[in-house]
Amino acid sequence: MPPNKPPRIAWIETVPIGEARGPLKRQYDRAVGRAGGVAHVLQVQSLTPKVLDAGVRLYQALMLEDGPLPRADRELLATAVSQANECFY
């Protein structure tokens, strides 16, 4: 990137936490219960609550349920991949 030029940031329409209703509100409420807030990675899926639900269930199945790798190893792999991708998560 050229010096003195700010990075381009994508803008994705989301449903604000205070405006969530129905299944989306339930997902947001569960997120607050789990993590104390609603992460941006969840909010970007807010226009399609079914996709958000499927994504959360996939994450939970991969990271929280018993599998061939101990959870600590899965968390370490996720951290390494996030760092390599320069991802906050």
Side-chain angles (χ1 to χ4, degrees):
M1 177 179 302
N4 300 322
K5 203 161 196 193
R8 293 184 63 188
I9 299 174
W11 180 80
I12 299 172
E13 183 179 355
T14 64
V15 176
I17 296 167
E19 295 178 20
R21 302 288 179 264
L24 179 60
K25 180 167 180 2
R26 288 189 290 279
Q27 277 291 350
Y28 277 6
D29 289 346
R30 286 194 289 269
V32 170
R34 284 189 309 269
V38 183
H40 293 278
V41 71
L42 299 179
Q43 291 180 38
V44 298
Q45 300 172 74
S46 64
L47 296 181
T48 52
K50 287 182 180 182
V51 171
L52 171 58
D53 183 62
V56 169
R57 285 187 289 117
L58 175 63
Y59 170 81
Q60 290 173 334
L62 291 172
M63 298 303 287
L64 305 179
E65 294 179 12
D66 288 336
L69 292 176
R71 181 172 177 191
D73 289 350
R74 289 177 274 169
E75 293 284 353
L76 182 59
L77 286 168
T79 300
V81 169
S82 290
Q83 184 177 11
N85 290 331
E86 299 179 7
C87 176
F88 174 78
Y89 297 101

